[in-house]
Amino acid sequence: MNIVMINIPFKAPWLGENKWITVPPQNYGGIQWIVKNLMDGMLELGHSVTLLGAPGSPETHPKLTVLPHGEIKDIEKWLEENEGKYDIVHDHTCRGEEFNENFNQFNWKVINSHYLSSVPLRKKNIVAASQAHAKDIGMPNVPFIRHPVNPNNYVFTENKSNYLLFLGRVSDWKGAYEAASFAEKAGLKLVIAGPVWEKEYFEAIMSRYKKTVRYVGEVGGEKRLELLSRSKAILVFSNSVTGPAGRTWVEPGSTVVSEAAACGTPVISSSNGCLSEIVPRVGKVIDDLEVVTQEAARGIIKNLPLPSDVYRNGLEDWDYLKISEQYLQLYEKVLHGHTW
């Protein structure tokens, strides 16, 4: 099968003029890791993949083609010019608003992995990342498929260090402040790694928890893998507050949970969105963070699952070949005229 993957096109000016976040990403980029792990599965299963929306990404497989189209208008033009030459388009651009109405007139077979809903959806064949996500976008009956994880892209170790990790955007809706509070109660250092775009929020964390938190900035490559694999646990305390799309944040799929599991790193999370669905097999869900005492926090740390169990359960749920097969089944349905 010839598959076109459209990554969410996002420029990274901090990397230099006209630089794009690649697949895999140079630093921050959960969606780019989803695309990377899924492409790995499709390529390993013998399919050909053409990647749009991530100029500069490495061509790491003979059946992978990366095209230099990052701007939406250039992607649209390519899709129009190549109509009918490929089997299916898997669109990861997320919000339902990037492409103009003409996109819907192309004679393409399209699957949409839809993550954020800030406008009325115009797309069909939407695949959610969890049951909570499907419900949040107002489509509780659409298929949902978990985020894929390729263990070859991560480092598993049973030798954990004595720190906790927050990996992601340092923002209210991702719960970095709550992560610092939990770490203080647990008597452990918290490493925060990720972009800071809400300066006042970050400064509040560093002021209140300066003895607990070590901020290391955005990380990528070996440093990111080292932090993920060596941390005692990763904290994913998503909050039900206004998120990036102007709506109450409901965690859709949480890439970092599957990535931590591939490293054998337990997850401690809130119950927001998908987290109550996916975390119990690889860690601990806390229903109400506000009532966690010092004793409770330290008890949670003491009773974390073994890294080997986290790894095994994580691959049972998120293995990239299993997830790729699930998508291929939907591709076949769409190719035979089925829509939803």
Side-chain angles (χ1 to χ4, degrees):
M1 190 179 294
N2 289 314
I3 303 162
V4 176
M5 292 272 181
I6 308 180
N7 174 65
I8 182 169
F10 193 83
K11 284 187 177 179
W14 56 90
L15 297 172
E17 188 177 358
N18 293 323
K19 292 289 187 178
W20 297 85
I21 296 181
T22 56
V23 174
Q26 300 93 325
N27 293 311
Y28 178 72
I31 293 171
Q32 286 77 16
W33 274 113
I34 294 168
V35 175
K36 164 62 175 169
N37 286 313
L38 184 58
M39 288 197 318
D40 286 351
M42 296 300 176
L43 292 166
E44 190 166 331
L45 291 171
H47 303 281
S48 297
V49 177
T50 298
L51 177 64
L52 296 168
S57 301
E59 292 187 346
T60 54
H61 192 283
K63 289 194 173 185
L64 172 62
T65 301
V66 178
L67 298 179
H69 305 308
E71 302 288 351
I72 289 294
K73 60 181 178 58
D74 296 327
I75 296 174
E76 285 185 330
K77 182 179 178 182
W78 185 90
L79 290 169
E80 186 173 9
E81 291 175 349
N82 289 275
E83 188 174 349
K85 297 179 182 178
Y86 296 77
D87 293 311
I88 199 157
V89 172
H90 193 149
D91 177 13
H92 293 266
T93 56
C94 305
R95 293 181 290 270
E97 62 187 340
E98 281 83 0
F99 296 111
N100 64 37
E101 288 293 341
N102 292 332
F103 180 74
N104 293 325
Q105 306 305 316
F106 298 163
N107 188 30
W108 284 95
K109 303 296 186 181
V110 181
I111 287 276
N112 297 283
S113 288
H114 187 85
Y115 297 102
L116 306 177
S117 177
S118 58
V119 295
L121 301 183
R122 299 192 303 264
K123 296 182 176 181
K124 61 184 179 182
N125 298 339
I126 288 172
V127 182
S130 65
Q131 290 176 305
H133 179 213
K135 182 178 179 180
D136 178 54
I137 62 175
M139 299 183 174
N141 297 318
V142 300
F144 71 89
I145 296 179
R146 306 293 188 202
H147 291 333
V149 64
N150 178 357
N152 298 313
N153 293 329
Y154 303 90
V155 176
F156 169 78
T157 180
E158 294 183 320
N159 299 317
K160 304 300 182 183
S161 298
N162 206 33
Y163 67 88
L164 302 173
L165 176 65
F166 174 93
L167 181 64
R169 178 171 168 174
V170 184
S171 60
D172 190 10
W173 43 280
K174 284 295 186 180
Y177 192 95
E178 287 76 11
S181 174
F182 180 89
E184 182 184 65
K185 292 174 182 176
L188 294 170
K189 294 292 185 181
L190 175 70
V191 174
I192 293 182
V196 172
W197 295 327
E198 292 86 3
K199 301 292 185 182
E200 291 184 4
Y201 179 78
F202 174 72
E203 290 169 359
I205 294 172
M206 298 307 294
S207 174
R208 171 65 179 82
Y209 296 106
K210 59 185 176 182
K211 293 182 179 180
T212 297
V213 170
R214 179 165 68 96
Y215 177 63
V216 296
E218 283 196 64
V219 293
E222 292 183 2
K223 180 63 175 178
R224 182 176 184 272
L225 292 178
E226 179 185 3
L227 287 172
L228 266 172
S229 63
R230 297 288 295 178
S231 62
K232 184 177 287 290
I234 190 166
L235 306 183
V236 188
F237 290 153
S238 297
N239 278 318
S240 298
V241 297
T242 301
R247 307 168 65 247
T248 299
W249 179 249
V250 175
E251 190 66 46
S254 195
T255 313
V256 74
V257 171
S258 58
E259 292 184 311
C263 298
T265 299
V267 181
I268 304 172
S269 82
S270 66
S271 59
N272 181 282
C274 71
L275 298 174
S276 60
E277 298 175 34
I278 66 176
V279 170
R281 281 171 46 80
V282 296
K284 172 68 175 178
V285 175
I286 303 175
D287 290 324
D288 189 351
L289 292 169
E290 293 182 358
V291 300
V292 175
T293 63
Q294 182 182 93
E295 181 182 6
R298 297 185 180 193
I300 289 169
I301 296 297
K302 183 179 179 179
N303 292 294
L304 288 171
L306 294 173
S308 56
D309 292 336
V310 171
Y311 180 82
R312 183 186 65 252
N313 290 341
L315 289 192
E316 285 179 1
D317 290 345
W318 298 297
D319 180 74
Y320 69 122
L321 295 176
K322 171 184 174 180
I323 299 301
S324 295
E325 291 282 9
Q326 291 176 357
Y327 269 115
L328 285 167
Q329 291 175 17
L330 290 184
Y331 292 173
E332 290 290 345
K333 289 184 177 180
V334 172
L335 286 172
H336 286 88
H338 181 72
T339 63
W340 59 90

mmCIF file of all heavy atoms in Angstrom, residues 40-63:
data_model
loop_
_atom_site.group_PDB
_atom_site.id
_atom_site.type_symbol
_atom_site.label_atom_id
_atom_site.label_comp_id
_atom_site.label_asym_id
_atom_site.label_seq_id
_atom_site.Cartn_x
_atom_site.Cartn_y
_atom_site.Cartn_z
ATOM 1 N N ASP A 40 7.154 3.897 11.266
ATOM 2 C CA ASP A 40 8.027 2.740 11.468
ATOM 3 C C ASP A 40 7.253 1.438 11.284
ATOM 4 O O ASP A 40 7.739 0.495 10.652
ATOM 5 C CB ASP A 40 8.626 2.765 12.877
ATOM 6 C CG ASP A 40 9.716 3.814 13.044
ATOM 7 O OD1 ASP A 40 10.131 4.417 12.031
ATOM 8 O OD2 ASP A 40 10.152 4.012 14.187
ATOM 9 N N GLY A 41 6.048 1.398 11.845
ATOM 10 C CA GLY A 41 5.241 0.191 11.733
ATOM 11 C C GLY A 41 4.817 -0.092 10.306
ATOM 12 O O GLY A 41 4.916 -1.233 9.828
ATOM 13 N N MET A 42 4.360 0.938 9.602
ATOM 14 C CA MET A 42 3.922 0.752 8.225
ATOM 15 C C MET A 42 5.074 0.303 7.334
ATOM 16 O O MET A 42 4.925 -0.590 6.489
ATOM 17 C CB MET A 42 3.316 2.058 7.689
ATOM 18 C CG MET A 42 2.052 2.500 8.402
ATOM 19 S SD MET A 42 0.727 1.262 8.278
ATOM 20 C CE MET A 42 -0.536 2.035 9.290
ATOM 21 N N LEU A 43 6.240 0.895 7.534
ATOM 22 C CA LEU A 43 7.409 0.536 6.725
ATOM 23 C C LEU A 43 7.855 -0.892 7.022
ATOM 24 O O LEU A 43 8.179 -1.653 6.102
ATOM 25 C CB LEU A 43 8.545 1.515 7.001
ATOM 26 C CG LEU A 43 8.300 2.957 6.511
ATOM 27 C CD1 LEU A 43 9.314 3.906 7.135
ATOM 28 C CD2 LEU A 43 8.364 3.032 4.987
ATOM 29 N N GLU A 44 7.861 -1.265 8.287
ATOM 30 C CA GLU A 44 8.278 -2.617 8.653
ATOM 31 C C GLU A 44 7.311 -3.671 8.129
ATOM 32 O O GLU A 44 7.712 -4.799 7.823
ATOM 33 C CB GLU A 44 8.424 -2.737 10.167
ATOM 34 C CG GLU A 44 9.087 -4.025 10.610
ATOM 35 C CD GLU A 44 9.538 -3.991 12.051
ATOM 36 O OE1 GLU A 44 9.849 -2.901 12.567
ATOM 37 O OE2 GLU A 44 9.590 -5.073 12.665
ATOM 38 N N LEU A 45 6.042 -3.289 7.993
ATOM 39 C CA LEU A 45 5.045 -4.222 7.460
ATOM 40 C C LEU A 45 5.043 -4.245 5.932
ATOM 41 O O LEU A 45 4.206 -4.908 5.323
ATOM 42 C CB LEU A 45 3.657 -3.852 7.987
ATOM 43 C CG LEU A 45 3.450 -4.087 9.496
ATOM 44 C CD1 LEU A 45 2.129 -3.487 9.965
ATOM 45 C CD2 LEU A 45 3.506 -5.583 9.823
ATOM 46 N N GLY A 46 5.965 -3.504 5.318
ATOM 47 C CA GLY A 46 6.171 -3.596 3.875
ATOM 48 C C GLY A 46 5.494 -2.539 3.036
ATOM 49 O O GLY A 46 5.508 -2.624 1.804
ATOM 50 N N HIS A 47 4.903 -1.533 3.658
ATOM 51 C CA HIS A 47 4.200 -0.497 2.919
ATOM 52 C C HIS A 47 5.129 0.681 2.621
ATOM 53 O O HIS A 47 6.163 0.861 3.261
ATOM 54 C CB HIS A 47 2.980 -0.025 3.708
ATOM 55 C CG HIS A 47 2.036 -1.139 4.029
ATOM 56 N ND1 HIS A 47 1.136 -1.644 3.115
ATOM 57 C CD2 HIS A 47 1.879 -1.876 5.168
ATOM 58 C CE1 HIS A 47 0.452 -2.641 3.669
ATOM 59 N NE2 HIS A 47 0.882 -2.793 4.907
ATOM 60 N N SER A 48 4.756 1.480 1.628
ATOM 61 C CA SER A 48 5.518 2.667 1.264
ATOM 62 C C SER A 48 4.861 3.897 1.886
ATOM 63 O O SER A 48 3.628 3.997 1.906
ATOM 64 C CB SER A 48 5.565 2.825 -0.262
ATOM 65 O OG SER A 48 6.234 1.725 -0.852
ATOM 66 N N VAL A 49 5.674 4.810 2.396
ATOM 67 C CA VAL A 49 5.164 6.003 3.068
ATOM 68 C C VAL A 49 5.782 7.253 2.450
ATOM 69 O O VAL A 49 7.008 7.327 2.270
ATOM 70 C CB VAL A 49 5.466 5.970 4.575
ATOM 71 C CG1 VAL A 49 4.983 7.261 5.243
ATOM 72 C CG2 VAL A 49 4.814 4.764 5.237
ATOM 73 N N THR A 50 4.934 8.222 2.132
ATOM 74 C CA THR A 50 5.375 9.543 1.702
ATOM 75 C C THR A 50 4.972 10.544 2.771
ATOM 76 O O THR A 50 3.803 10.612 3.152
ATOM 77 C CB THR A 50 4.735 9.926 0.350
ATOM 78 O OG1 THR A 50 5.164 8.990 -0.650
ATOM 79 C CG2 THR A 50 5.153 11.332 -0.064
ATOM 80 N N LEU A 51 5.946 11.308 3.278
ATOM 81 C CA LEU A 51 5.701 12.231 4.390
ATOM 82 C C LEU A 51 5.634 13.666 3.898
ATOM 83 O O LEU A 51 6.543 14.153 3.227
ATOM 84 C CB LEU A 51 6.809 12.093 5.435
ATOM 85 C CG LEU A 51 6.725 13.043 6.637
ATOM 86 C CD1 LEU A 51 5.476 12.769 7.468
ATOM 87 C CD2 LEU A 51 7.982 12.910 7.505
ATOM 88 N N LEU A 52 4.539 14.336 4.264
ATOM 89 C CA LEU A 52 4.351 15.764 4.007
ATOM 90 C C LEU A 52 4.295 16.513 5.327
ATOM 91 O O LEU A 52 3.890 15.956 6.349
ATOM 92 C CB LEU A 52 3.051 16.011 3.240
ATOM 93 C CG LEU A 52 2.924 15.428 1.828
ATOM 94 C CD1 LEU A 52 1.483 15.531 1.354
ATOM 95 C CD2 LEU A 52 3.846 16.142 0.876
ATOM 96 N N GLY A 53 4.665 17.792 5.301
ATOM 97 C CA GLY A 53 4.492 18.622 6.477
ATOM 98 C C GLY A 53 5.647 18.611 7.457
ATOM 99 O O GLY A 53 5.523 19.164 8.551
ATOM 100 N N ALA A 54 6.767 18.003 7.092
ATOM 101 C CA ALA A 54 7.930 17.976 7.986
ATOM 102 C C ALA A 54 9.215 18.029 7.173
ATOM 103 O O ALA A 54 10.016 17.097 7.190
ATOM 104 C CB ALA A 54 7.902 16.734 8.866
ATOM 105 N N PRO A 55 9.430 19.118 6.425
ATOM 106 C CA PRO A 55 10.642 19.234 5.615
ATOM 107 C C PRO A 55 11.902 19.048 6.460
ATOM 108 O O PRO A 55 11.963 19.508 7.599
ATOM 109 C CB PRO A 55 10.569 20.660 5.067
ATOM 110 C CG PRO A 55 9.119 21.008 5.091
ATOM 111 C CD PRO A 55 8.571 20.318 6.302
ATOM 112 N N GLY A 56 12.882 18.367 5.890
ATOM 113 C CA GLY A 56 14.133 18.138 6.607
ATOM 114 C C GLY A 56 14.167 16.871 7.416
ATOM 115 O O GLY A 56 15.207 16.537 8.004
ATOM 116 N N SER A 57 13.056 16.135 7.474
ATOM 117 C CA SER A 57 13.053 14.868 8.203
ATOM 118 C C SER A 57 13.945 13.851 7.499
ATOM 119 O O SER A 57 14.024 13.834 6.270
ATOM 120 C CB SER A 57 11.622 14.318 8.296
ATOM 121 O OG SER A 57 10.768 15.228 8.958
ATOM 122 N N PRO A 58 14.629 12.997 8.255
ATOM 123 C CA PRO A 58 15.534 12.031 7.629
ATOM 124 C C PRO A 58 14.776 10.916 6.911
ATOM 125 O O PRO A 58 13.749 10.447 7.391
ATOM 126 C CB PRO A 58 16.320 11.476 8.820
ATOM 127 C CG PRO A 58 15.411 11.665 9.999
ATOM 128 C CD PRO A 58 14.659 12.929 9.734
ATOM 129 N N GLU A 59 15.284 10.526 5.760
ATOM 130 C CA GLU A 59 14.737 9.375 5.037
ATOM 131 C C GLU A 59 15.505 8.137 5.504
ATOM 132 O O GLU A 59 16.572 7.817 4.994
ATOM 133 C CB GLU A 59 14.850 9.582 3.531
ATOM 134 C CG GLU A 59 13.960 10.690 3.008
ATOM 135 C CD GLU A 59 13.956 10.790 1.490
ATOM 136 O OE1 GLU A 59 14.838 10.181 0.848
ATOM 137 O OE2 GLU A 59 13.084 11.495 0.945
ATOM 138 N N THR A 60 14.951 7.463 6.487
ATOM 139 C CA THR A 60 15.660 6.387 7.179
ATOM 140 C C THR A 60 15.305 4.996 6.662
ATOM 141 O O THR A 60 15.742 3.998 7.230
ATOM 142 C CB THR A 60 15.347 6.451 8.679
ATOM 143 O OG1 THR A 60 13.912 6.441 8.864
ATOM 144 C CG2 THR A 60 15.900 7.725 9.295
ATOM 145 N N HIS A 61 14.531 4.928 5.583
ATOM 146 C CA HIS A 61 14.078 3.633 5.064
ATOM 147 C C HIS A 61 13.925 3.766 3.561
ATOM 148 O O HIS A 61 13.496 4.816 3.058
ATOM 149 C CB HIS A 61 12.745 3.250 5.721
ATOM 150 C CG HIS A 61 12.324 1.836 5.487
ATOM 151 N ND1 HIS A 61 11.771 1.411 4.286
ATOM 152 C CD2 HIS A 61 12.395 0.737 6.288
ATOM 153 C CE1 HIS A 61 11.493 0.114 4.380
ATOM 154 N NE2 HIS A 61 11.871 -0.318 5.578
ATOM 155 N N PRO A 62 14.271 2.713 2.805
ATOM 156 C CA PRO A 62 14.166 2.820 1.341
ATOM 157 C C PRO A 62 12.752 3.049 0.834
ATOM 158 O O PRO A 62 12.564 3.530 -0.292
ATOM 159 C CB PRO A 62 14.724 1.477 0.847
ATOM 160 C CG PRO A 62 14.745 0.576 2.034
ATOM 161 C CD PRO A 62 14.904 1.445 3.234
ATOM 162 N N LYS A 63 11.745 2.732 1.641
ATOM 163 C CA LYS A 63 10.361 2.946 1.221
ATOM 164 C C LYS A 63 9.758 4.216 1.807
ATOM 165 O O LYS A 63 8.553 4.441 1.691
ATOM 166 C CB LYS A 63 9.501 1.738 1.600
ATOM 167 C CG LYS A 63 9.789 0.501 0.755
ATOM 168 C CD LYS A 63 8.709 -0.547 0.926
ATOM 169 C CE LYS A 63 8.897 -1.708 -0.054
ATOM 170 N NZ LYS A 63 7.790 -2.681 0.002
#
